[in-house]
Amino acid sequence: MDGFGPDHLPYGVFSVAGGPRRVGVRVDDGADSWVLDLFAATGRPELERPSLNAFMALGPEAWRETRQLAAELAGSLRHAVPLADATLHLPVEVADYVDFYASEHHATNVGRIFRPDGEALLPNWKHLPVGYHGRAGTVVESGTPVVRPTGQRRGPEAPVFGPSTRLDIEAELGFVVGVGSELGSRVPYDAFAEHVFGVVGLNDWSARDIQAWEYVPLGPFLGKSFATSISHWVTPMPALDAAWVDLPGQHPEPLPYLGPGATQGLDIDVEVVVNGEVVSRPPYRTMYWSPAQMLAHLTVNGASLRTGDLFASGTISGAEPDQRGSLLELGWGAEDAFLDDGDEVVLRYNAPGTLGGRITLGEVAGTIAPARA
Ligand code: MN
């Protein structure tokens, strides 16, 4: 069982045989997979909850203590439940959800596809991490069927109404906020570790035909808000201590509040699997904007953070054609590149661990269900 050893210890929410939901940590011992029952081990009330939120709100000192305890339990498998006996649930009660657009390769590809005669990147792109507010209430757990959305798209004369014919994925990483901030204050780029609890895999399902018709001038709306899937497991930031890497480089230099030269990206490899076949391997280390810069930008106007806030990277695309994180880019806009009913998409992630091997982040799966009348 690769990637869930003692250097990983991701958090999730589980139940057994219809019992109450509670916080657990996954560990594999080489033969079997287990969930460590943290409430049973500690009696801490914040761990006997149907989401990670109460625990995350305790802050970094409690996170460190609990991770230490989980490492001890993992060694002895005390309070361990077989993963096969556990039902996993959405790990976080998502407060606000923001999606960025932080890959230069993705933004350039999309610009070329949608605006072949214009500049690929718009003038603001290298000065700020572009983003939009999404719909927190439709963030769903891995495995939730995705019902094909219905809506308006551009037609030859008048808009056409019906099920989307260009249903797509966006392979992304999501960052989960544990500790909030005060309204009116900023979270500086060097305070990332005080606020961000961990990372989830994230698929920002996108209906390109609905999106293309509606997005000017206010940005994504119904083409995105029908579903966003996240992994069951939240990888805590310390498990990624060995994965930090320098950004590819930022020119022109961003404004001081974005900490030019002072923040890093993450060396996380992504796999996009459609109907069992790997169709792409996007590298997160190629992203232009860092997670800390996204957080600093998200709060520079004084917008407060809340426990459970989720902010995502935007589609992860590398420089090569087989590193693109959306079907729009992989098919370069071709009409038959998109998802059919019954198609299954799985996003997988792995990163360097702190013991010299690699850790496997939680995967994100979803199958397309037919549109409803
Ligand atoms: Mn997205």
Side-chain angles (χ1 to χ4, degrees):
M1 312 278 172
D2 292 334
F4 290 96
D7 53 347
H8 189 185
L9 303 175
Y11 289 90
V13 170
F14 76 104
S15 60
V16 177
R21 299 182 187 195
R22 51 182 63 190
V23 174
V25 162
R26 176 165 171 182
V27 67
D28 294 3
D29 65 0
D32 293 299
S33 300
W34 306 89
V35 182
L36 303 171
D37 185 337
L38 291 183
F39 174 69
T42 64
R44 272 190 107 137
E46 298 86 0
L47 298 168
E48 193 189 29
R49 298 286 176 85
S51 80
L52 292 171
N53 291 43
F55 168 59
M56 294 194 300
L58 296 174
E61 190 54 43
W63 306 344
R64 267 190 295 276
E65 285 170 15
T66 307
R67 185 164 167 78
Q68 179 64 40
L69 172 75
E72 289 163 18
L73 293 173
S76 62
L77 290 180
R78 281 193 308 126
H79 303 292
V81 175
L83 178 63
D85 293 347
T87 301
L88 301 175
H89 305 281
L90 184 69
V92 175
E93 187 183 340
V94 179
D96 289 298
Y97 166 48
V98 166
D99 193 24
F100 285 94
Y101 194 50
S103 162
E104 182 176 4
H105 301 296
H106 172 70
T108 302
N109 289 339
V110 171
R112 287 193 179 131
I113 293 168
F114 281 141
R115 296 183 302 274
D117 302 322
E119 288 289 321
L121 290 183
L122 294 173
N124 59 5
W125 200 89
K126 291 202 166 181
H127 295 281
L128 54 85
V130 170
Y132 68 95
H133 277 88
R135 192 164 186 83
T138 52
V139 176
V140 298
E141 65 181 299
S142 176
T144 304
V146 174
V147 176
R148 181 178 297 275
T150 293
Q152 289 193 29
R153 61 180 180 272
R154 187 180 283 115
E157 317 245 320
V160 174
F161 181 78
S164 170
T165 60
R166 304 187 92 198
L167 183 53
D168 199 354
I169 59 160
E170 294 194 339
E172 306 195 15
L173 270 189
F175 296 86
V176 180
V177 171
V179 175
S181 65
E182 187 195 342
L183 185 64
S185 71
R186 303 176 187 177
V187 174
Y189 63 83
D190 57 1
F192 180 86
E194 294 161 38
H195 292 273
V196 174
F197 176 77
V199 172
V200 289
L202 186 145
N203 188 344
D204 174 24
W205 304 94
S206 298
R208 300 299 180 196
D209 42 359
I210 297 172
Q211 182 186 355
W213 173 233
E214 74 178 359
Y215 87 106
V216 178
L218 285 184
F221 185 32
L222 302 176
K224 301 276 196 177
S225 63
F226 58 94
T228 305
S229 300
I230 63 171
S231 58
H232 285 122
W233 298 112
V234 182
T235 295
M237 290 316 302
L240 291 166
D241 277 351
W244 292 103
V245 287
D246 289 340
L247 296 173
Q250 299 184 322
H251 309 283
E253 183 170 282
L255 287 167
Y257 80 88
L258 292 166
T263 67
Q264 290 189 299
L266 288 163
D267 180 15
I268 297 174
D269 287 339
V270 187
E271 282 185 334
V272 180
V273 185
V274 180
N275 297 327
E277 185 188 343
V278 177
V279 299
S280 177
R281 290 191 163 86
Y284 187 74
R285 66 182 166 278
T286 63
M287 300 296 273
Y288 191 88
W289 295 104
S290 73
Q293 289 176 321
M294 294 192 291
L295 186 64
H297 187 64
L298 173 55
T299 60
V300 71
N301 65 347
S304 49
L305 298 175
R306 292 189 294 172
T307 297
D309 280 1
L310 173 67
F311 63 99
S313 59
T315 308
I316 305 164
S317 289
E320 304 302 325
D322 61 355
Q323 296 180 331
R324 295 170 180 159
S326 70
L327 301 178
L328 173 73
E329 293 163 272
L330 287 165
W332 208 257
E335 202 57 51
D336 62 354
F338 299 98
L339 295 169
D340 295 322
D341 291 347
D343 281 352
E344 185 200 40
V345 179
V346 181
L347 306 179
R348 299 187 190 132
Y349 305 79
N350 68 85
T354 54
L355 295 179
R358 294 189 81 81
I359 62 172
T360 304
L361 282 66
E363 68 174 33
V364 192
T367 299
I368 306 305
R372 296 193 186 151

